[in-house]
Amino acid sequence: MIPSAFEYHSPTSVEDALGLLGRFGDDAKLLAGGHSLIPLMKLRLAAPEHLIDLGRVQGLSYIRDEGGAIAIGAMTTHSAVAASELLRSRVAVLAEAAASIGDVQVRNRGTIGGSLAHADPGADLPGVMLALNAELVARGASGTRTIAAADFFTDLLSTALEPNEVLTEIRIPVLPANTGSTYLKFANQASGYAIVGIAAVVTVSGATVADARVGVSGVGETASRASGTEQALRGQPANADAVKRAAQQAADGIEPLGDIHASAEYRSHLVRVFAERALNTALGRAQGRG
Amino acid sequence: MQLTGTYTFKAPRDAVWQAMLDPENIRRCMPGCEEFKTTAEDQYEAVMKAGVGSIKGTFQGKIQLSERQPPSSYRMGVEGGGKPGRVKGSGVLTLTDQGGTTLVAYDGDAQVAGLIASVGQRLLGITARKLIEQFFKTMEKQIPATSA
């Protein structure tokens, strides 16, 4: 449980962090809350020579209402996200997902940006970002760019971030009126990782489903959208029967992982069951029923 | 740790067999291969620096091919070590002719020692599968008929 030797760097600004990244390139790794990276280092599955700790960088921890979007600093902890009144009232799916991560120690240290940049297949937040059409703001030596969540998660443990970029902010577009959302997962009992995690966002227009978005975490190598279910539900009557039918397609197009915790078949089954439950809850909220 | 999977080559079985057992091709297709030498017939020693995302390491090991059944199957044994610990395993690769394309199925078992086996398994298995997939993808490009 002792990591390989590494050089520790503790920049106090994003610019300094970028400078260090530029200097050490592939041998460096950014440290956010450390609740994914440190265990990997202790197992020696990761052995970066230079660790750049973002913990002392000022101004990366905030949750702000900016009108059209809610902006969240990348170093905001899961517990801060889970406790935010703004997020709980406006983007329940994100607050609920953050509240479900790991245990209290992990939530107090782990950060939204760290979790997203690590892109663990069992992480809760990637699927939530997809369902919310979130935007991820990255800063590099040559400036700032915004990456759509749909383009961000490229592969297993891999993102669209360049090696010399720092994820600084997550932007959640304001949800339309008459929208309800929730996050529901079947968790690994030991780690809390999602075996299946469903982020559901439903917008109703009268008695009809105007829009439905479903993000799936924990099932494939990366999070994905259950687009078949989304299409099947749009324009349908806003009731449990329509949800039940649409949820049957929730696992379509996903190549599920199979491991000692859950076989691929079991994961597919759980996706359908949890998609139905999550969509019903989100639909109920959209209709003002809790 | 069980490792199973398949990959479909868009090439006839004989060509796939020839490519997969060619040491030069193995060297070229091994992800992050830094050193590769032939120590005896069907025996190689290699150093690779490879990984996926945050998981990255340098591995050193011996590869042994055996039980050749041209052009349908052979066994590959791997024994080695790296920073995460020692790994020993072997698996059978089966090539099935599908009329123009070839299905390669691998079925192996790797013994991973120590803590990594229990705690690291969740990510280790999928990372290994990812690297195997990279190997096959690069291998497919080495086959002349499909590189056009």
Side-chain angles (χ1 to χ4, degrees):
Chain A
M1 288 301 272
I2 297 172
S4 298
F6 58 86
E7 200 74 39
Y8 177 80
H9 305 271
S10 181
T12 53
S13 68
V14 175
E15 289 72 26
D16 288 351
L18 287 171
L20 289 163
L21 272 183
R23 220 165 98 201
F24 300 119
D26 221 20
D27 295 327
K29 194 79 193 145
L30 292 171
L31 175 71
H35 275 65
S36 298
L37 183 59
I38 300 294
L40 285 180
M41 288 171 64
K42 287 186 165 191
L43 291 168
R44 302 203 171 194
L45 284 171
E49 287 167 34
H50 295 272
L51 203 58
I52 303 170
D53 186 358
L54 296 175
R56 286 183 180 78
V57 174
Q58 298 299 306
L60 286 181
S61 177
Y62 54 84
I63 300 170
R64 284 199 294 254
D65 185 354
E66 296 191 344
I70 296 172
I72 305 171
M75 288 293 283
T76 307
T77 62
H78 301 313
S79 57
V81 170
S84 159
E85 267 311 314
L86 178 66
L87 292 173
R88 283 160 61 125
S89 59
R90 303 263 294 277
V91 202
V93 59
L94 178 54
E96 286 177 6
S100 80
I101 294 171
D103 52 30
V104 82
Q105 289 90 339
V106 170
R107 293 194 292 277
N108 281 341
R109 293 291 306 168
T111 65
I112 184 168
S115 171
L116 295 173
H118 180 57
D120 192 293
D124 297 289
L125 297 180
V128 176
M129 294 297 126
L130 292 175
L132 289 171
N133 285 334
E135 292 177 330
L136 294 97
V137 181
R139 264 174 77 180
S142 52
T144 301
R145 68 181 179 126
T146 301
I147 308 163
D151 300 323
F152 186 78
F153 305 103
T154 53
D155 204 339
L156 175 70
L157 297 166
S158 308
T159 69
L161 285 173
E162 297 294 336
N164 56 359
E165 281 182 323
V166 179
L167 177 62
T168 55
E169 187 177 271
I170 292 90
R171 300 182 66 80
I172 313 290
V174 164
L175 296 172
N178 303 315
T179 297
S181 72
T182 195
Y183 183 73
L184 190 66
K185 78 165 152 179
F186 186 77
N188 178 319
Q189 289 302 301
S191 65
Y193 273 117
I195 289 173
V196 168
I198 303 287
V201 181
V202 176
T203 305
V204 293
S205 170
T208 306
V209 176
D211 193 17
R213 290 179 256 151
V214 180
V216 182
S217 294
V219 181
E221 289 179 349
T222 62
S224 56
R225 288 270 289 266
S227 43
T229 291
E230 295 176 350
Q231 278 161 25
L233 197 52
R234 275 183 209 125
Q236 293 297 303
N239 62 41
D241 283 341
V243 166
K244 192 183 182 66
R245 278 194 302 276
Q248 292 314 305
Q249 297 175 46
D252 294 5
I254 304 177
E255 208 171 300
L257 300 168
D259 55 29
I260 53 167
H261 305 297
S263 68
E265 294 75 16
Y266 186 47
R267 272 191 167 82
S268 296
H269 171 73
L270 286 175
V271 171
R272 293 187 285 268
V273 172
F274 277 68
E276 183 180 344
R277 291 181 190 170
L279 281 166
N280 273 322
T281 301
L283 178 61
R285 289 178 177 174
Q287 293 170 325
R289 295 183 279 113
Chain B
M1 183 174 68
Q2 290 289 329
L3 272 179
T4 57
T6 58
Y7 187 89
T8 304
F9 284 77
K10 292 183 196 70
R13 184 164 70 165
D14 285 336
V16 176
W17 173 268
Q18 212 168 17
M20 298 249 296
L21 282 108
D22 177 53
E24 183 52 27
N25 273 340
I26 299 174
R27 181 190 66 75
R28 229 179 291 168
C29 302
M30 196 180 284
C33 181
E34 297 201 325
E35 274 176 55
F36 188 89
K37 61 178 184 220
T38 306
T39 49
E41 202 193 340
D42 284 346
Q43 272 186 44
Y44 313 104
E45 270 180 33
V47 178
M48 58 188 264
K49 189 173 183 179
V52 178
S54 301
I55 297 178
K56 209 159 39 175
T58 304
F59 303 90
Q60 204 170 352
K62 292 184 182 132
I63 300 162
Q64 164 113 45
L65 306 182
S66 60
E67 297 171 28
R68 280 176 179 241
Q69 310 272 334
S72 59
S73 81
Y74 65 98
R75 176 176 289 275
M76 186 184 229
V78 177
E79 194 181 340
K83 278 186 173 156
R86 293 201 67 76
V87 183
K88 190 179 174 177
S90 91
V92 174
L93 288 99
T94 316
L95 286 69
T96 309
D97 184 10
Q98 294 188 318
T101 66
T102 307
L103 179 78
V104 176
Y106 61 91
D107 185 356
D109 191 15
Q111 283 101 46
V112 188
L115 188 68
I116 194 178
S118 53
V119 186
Q121 205 213 16
R122 191 179 63 86
L123 288 174
L124 206 57
I126 34 180
T127 304
R129 271 198 294 273
K130 206 84 210 167
L131 292 174
I132 292 169
E133 193 185 295
Q134 276 180 32
F135 176 78
F136 285 146
K137 267 194 186 145
T138 324
M139 184 61 80
E140 189 171 18
K141 290 188 193 128
Q142 308 302 318
I143 301 170
T146 58
S147 62

